[in-house]
C-alpha cells in the first residue's frame, strides 16, 4: 500500500472510454484446469465452488461459520406503526449468545394487513436504523459511526438530529403498500467502517489478538456475514417468509449485498445499487475508481490478498462478472446512475452481461440485453439492470424497479 503522501499523488481517475485498456476476462464457464463447463451439475459441483474460493482467497476474505448460540431479543413491537399500516419490531442479535457486544439491531416493518408470512427486503444502512424512518420512537443507534454534521452524527455518535436523515433512501410506506416488509440494520453494528486493525465489531469475536491472515475477512465480508446472521433470525420469525428475502445495498453496502448473495444461497434475490469498484463493476476496465484507489482509501474493506492486484488487474483470477455468476440462477439486479461515473456504469452493466452465460446454462431467461439500455429504461428478466438519471444515491425510481422485479420473481407478476 501507499504512504498517505504517495496516495495523494495518485493518478487522476480515467473517465475516457477510449483510454480503457484492452483486457480479456476469465471465463466463468471454464474450470481452473481449463475444462469447458457444459452442464448445470458441473457448474454447481465444480466451477461454482472454484469461483467462490477465488473470491474468498483473493478479494473479500474467508468468513467463519455461523456462531452456535446467538441470542435474539425482541426489544419492541408496535402494532400500529406508520399510522396503522405497519407492524414495527426491533430485534437485537447478540452474536456470542450473551448479552454483550458485538450486537446488531434489526428494525423491521411489516404490512399490518398481511395474512401470511411476507417477503421482505433487507438492507444495511450507513448511519443507524433511526435515520431511515421519520418515526421518532425508534431506538437511537449507540455504536460508533463516521462523523457527519449534515447527518447529525457528532463525535462518532448519532444524535437526535440524525433521526430520519436517510429516509429518502428508504421509502418504507411504498414498500409496505406493495405488500413487502423491510429489515434494516446499521452496518457499523456488525463492523465499524474504519481501519482499526480488526479489533472491533464481529472481527473481535474471532480475531481478538491479531489481524486476520491475508485471505481472511475484511469489513465487507464481515458485513455480508452479518446479513446472513440477520437471515438466521428471519428464519425464526413466523411473520416473515424467509424463502423470499431480497438483499439490497447501496455503494459499499451494494458490494456487500453482492458478496452476501454470492455466498449465501438463502438470499432469494440480490440487488446492487451503484456498487462500483469491488462490487458490480469490472476491475479490469480501470474506469473511475480503481483497485489502487479503493485499497489505499479503504484498506480494511477487502482481504489483504486483494492488494496484490493493484495496477495488475489482468492477473486477477476473477473479475466481478464472476461474482454475479455466483448468484445464478437466483434473480439479480444491478443499478447504475448516469452521474455516478466513479462507479463505472458501463462496467456494472458488462458484469451482468458477462455473467449471463451461467444463467443461461442453468436454464433461466438470463439477461437479454446485449448493449446498455437507454437511460431510465430498465431491463428485467432473471437478471435486471437499469441506468437512471442523477447521481450516486438511492431514489424512488430505483425502488420502483426493485419492487417490480420482486413482484415478477416472488409473485409471478
Ligand atoms: C467511496 C468509495 C466507493 C464506495 C462509496 C460509498 O466513494 O470510493 O467505493 O462505493 O464510497 O460507499 O458511498
Amino acid at each position: 500500500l501507499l504512504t498517505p503522501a504517495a496516495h495523494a499523488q495518485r493518478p487522476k481517475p480515467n473517465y475516457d472510454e477510449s483510454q480503457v485498456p484492452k483486457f480479456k476476462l476469465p471465463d466463468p464457464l471454464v474450470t481452473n484446469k481449463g475444462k469447458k463447463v457444459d452442464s448445470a451439475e458441473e457448474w454447481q459441483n465444480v466451477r461454482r465452488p472454484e469461483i467462490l474460493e477465488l473470491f474468498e482467497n483473493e478479494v473479500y476474505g474467508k468468513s467463519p461459520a455461523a456462531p452456535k448460540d446467538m441470542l435474539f431479543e425482541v426489544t419492541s413491537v408496535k402494532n400500529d406503526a406508520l399510522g396503522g399500516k405497519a407492524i414495527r419490531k426491533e430485534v437485537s442479535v447478540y452474536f456470542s449468545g450473551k448479552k454483550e457486544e458485538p450486537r446488531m439491531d434489526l428494525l423491521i416493518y411489516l404490512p399490518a394487513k398481511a395474512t401470511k408470512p411476507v417477503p421482505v427486503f433487507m438492507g444495511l444502512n450507513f448511519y443507524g436504523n433511526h435515520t431511515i424512518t421519520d418515526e421518532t420512537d425508534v431506538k437511537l443507534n449507540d455504536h460508533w459511526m463516521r462523523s457527519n454534521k449534515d447527518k447529525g452524527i457528532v463525535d462518532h455518535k448519532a444524535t437526535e438530529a440524525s433521526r430520519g436523515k436517510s429516509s429518502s433512501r428508504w421509502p418504507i410506506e411504498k414498500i409496505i403498500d406493495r405488500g413487502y416488509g423491510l429489515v434494516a440494520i446499521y452496518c457499523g453494528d456488525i463492523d465499524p467502517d474504519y481501519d482499526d486493525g480488526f479489533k472491533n465489531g464481529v472481527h473481535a469475536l474471532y480475531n481478538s489478538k491479531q489481524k486476520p491472515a491475508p485471505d481472511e475477512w475484511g469489513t465487507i465480508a464481515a458485513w455480508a456475514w452479518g446479513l446472513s446472521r440477520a437471515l438466521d433470525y428471519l428464519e425464526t420469525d413466523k411473520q416473515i417468509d424467509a424463502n423470499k428475502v431480497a438483499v439490497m445495498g447501496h455503494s459499499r453496502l451494494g458490494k456487500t449485498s453482492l458478496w452476501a448473495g454470492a455466498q449465501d444461497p438463502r438470499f432469494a434475490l440480490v440487488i446492487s445499487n451503484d456498487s462500483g469498484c469491488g462490487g458490480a463493476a469490472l476491475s479490469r476496465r480501470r474506469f473511475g475508481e480503481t483497485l489502487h484507489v479503493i485499497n489505499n482509501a479503504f484498506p480494511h474493506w477487502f482481504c489483504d490478498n486483494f492488494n496484490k492486484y493493484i495496477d495488475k488487474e489482468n492477473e486477477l483470477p476473477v473479475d466481478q462478472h464472476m461474482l454475479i455468476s455466483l448468484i445464478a440462477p437466483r434473480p439479480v439486479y444491478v443499478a447504475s446512475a448516469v452521474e455516478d461515473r466513479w462507479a463505472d456504469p458501463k462496467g456494472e452493466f458488462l458484469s451482468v452481461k458477462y455473467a449471463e452465460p451461467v444463467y443461461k446454462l442453468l436454464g433461466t431467461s438470463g439477461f437479454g440485453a446485449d448493449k446498455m439500455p437507454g437511460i431510465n429504461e430498465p431491463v428485467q428478466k432473471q437478471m435486471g439492470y437499469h441506468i437512471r438519471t442523477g447521481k450516486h444515491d438511492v431514489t424512488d425510481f430505483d425502488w420502483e424497479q426493485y419492487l417490480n422485479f420482486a413482484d415478477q420473481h416472488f409473485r409471478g407478476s
Side-chain angles (χ1 to χ4, degrees):
L1 290 184
L2 301 176
T3 61
H7 181 54
Q9 299 288 312
R10 69 191 181 277
K12 285 230 156 52
N14 175 46
Y15 291 128
D16 177 352
E17 200 55 45
S18 74
Q19 297 303 307
V20 169
K22 287 234 156 16
F23 58 83
K24 193 170 173 294
L25 292 174
D27 189 336
L29 290 177
V30 174
T31 68
N32 290 346
K33 287 194 180 135
K35 174 166 185 315
K36 180 91 192 130
V37 176
D38 41 31
S39 70
E41 235 182 2
E42 199 177 6
W43 166 258
Q44 288 297 351
N45 299 335
V46 182
R47 186 54 175 156
R48 188 178 184 283
E50 278 183 5
I51 296 176
L52 189 60
E53 196 180 347
L54 289 168
F55 275 102
E56 283 175 345
N57 290 343
E58 307 298 320
V59 183
Y60 304 103
K62 290 199 247 314
S63 302
K68 279 196 195 67
D69 318 291
M70 280 187 294
L71 178 67
F72 305 134
E73 185 191 21
V74 179
T75 58
S76 81
V77 179
K78 189 173 179 190
N79 287 316
D80 58 350
L82 299 181
K85 266 186 190 179
I87 299 168
R88 193 188 75 205
K89 294 195 249 198
E90 293 173 281
V91 179
S92 290
V93 174
Y94 292 93
F95 296 103
S96 72
K98 291 188 214 105
K99 274 192 144 186
E100 59 187 27
E101 295 291 327
R103 176 202 87 236
M104 75 177 166
D105 294 334
L106 276 47
L107 171 64
I108 303 176
Y109 280 98
L110 301 171
K113 58 172 192 240
T115 51
K116 52 179 194 194
V118 288
V120 297
F121 289 87
M122 171 150 78
L124 298 174
N125 57 66
F126 288 73
Y127 296 107
N129 296 339
H130 65 280
T131 64
I132 76 153
T133 175
D134 294 326
E135 296 195 310
T136 52
D137 52 341
V138 163
K139 180 181 165 189
L140 194 74
N141 189 282
D142 57 354
H143 284 137
W144 184 98
M145 50 188 75
R146 289 182 173 237
S147 290
N148 183 329
K149 258 227 217 92
D150 296 342
K151 295 271 184 192
I153 313 299
V154 181
D155 294 334
H156 302 297
K157 287 278 174 213
T159 67
E160 284 293 328
S162 62
R163 289 191 179 279
K165 285 280 198 255
S166 300
S167 59
S168 73
R169 287 184 172 179
W170 301 95
I172 306 174
E173 293 212 27
K174 185 197 285 255
I175 295 170
I176 294 291
D177 289 344
R178 296 275 296 254
Y180 294 92
L182 176 67
V183 180
I185 307 156
Y186 166 53
C187 65
D189 282 0
I190 304 163
D191 195 34
D193 190 7
Y194 70 100
D195 187 14
D196 69 320
F198 299 94
K199 287 193 197 68
N200 55 23
V202 293
H203 284 124
L205 213 55
Y206 294 89
N207 311 78
S208 52
K209 304 236 161 35
Q210 74 220 30
K211 206 173 135 92
D215 63 350
E216 287 177 344
W217 56 345
T219 293
I220 289 174
W223 290 336
W225 182 91
L227 284 166
S228 285
R229 302 295 70 81
L231 187 47
D232 296 340
Y233 163 74
L234 299 188
E235 287 182 328
T236 71
D237 188 322
K238 299 216 162 37
Q239 291 175 301
I240 291 171
D241 183 350
N243 293 316
K244 291 187 177 147
V245 177
V247 61
M248 178 273 180
H250 169 63
S251 209
R252 68 198 66 182
L253 304 176
K255 309 180 206 299
T256 306
S257 62
L258 289 173
W259 183 226
Q263 292 176 95
D264 190 337
R266 294 177 301 165
F267 288 112
L269 191 156
V270 182
I271 301 164
S272 149
N273 192 91
D274 304 358
S275 62
C277 184
L282 291 175
S283 301
R284 279 169 175 77
R285 278 175 46 82
R286 300 170 56 93
F287 187 101
E289 187 170 32
T290 59
L291 263 53
H292 185 133
V293 172
I294 203 166
N295 282 323
N296 280 291
F298 304 98
H300 57 296
W301 280 2
F302 301 89
C303 72
D304 281 355
N305 275 341
F306 200 41
N307 296 332
K308 296 189 296 195
Y309 306 100
I310 290 177
D311 298 327
K312 291 183 195 146
E313 287 84 353
N314 281 321
E315 291 175 20
L316 270 165
V318 290
D319 210 319
Q320 300 303 108
H321 63 307
M322 291 158 84
L323 178 65
I324 309 275
S325 78
L326 290 172
I327 298 163
R330 291 165 290 147
V332 64
Y333 199 110
V334 171
S336 310
V338 175
E339 290 167 41
D340 187 21
R341 294 186 308 161
W342 182 239
D344 185 14
K346 186 168 178 192
E348 295 181 314
F349 165 79
L350 289 175
S351 275
V352 183
K353 173 175 158 161
Y354 292 130
E356 186 185 23
V358 177
Y359 275 78
K360 287 278 196 190
L361 179 72
L362 299 184
T364 76
S365 61
F367 187 30
D370 221 37
K371 282 209 258 28
M372 255 179 113
I375 293 161
N376 301 332
E377 289 172 19
V379 177
Q380 301 195 6
K381 288 193 169 182
Q382 192 70 8
M383 312 176 85
Y385 176 83
H386 71 247
I387 175 163
R388 61 155 170 81
T389 39
K391 61 182 174 56
H392 187 68
D393 197 0
V394 191
T395 68
D396 282 357
F397 178 89
D398 295 320
W399 272 105
E400 195 61 42
Q401 311 321 315
Y402 304 152
L403 288 160
N404 293 344
F405 194 63
D407 280 353
Q408 191 186 133
H409 293 289
F410 287 164
R411 302 205 158 109
S413 60

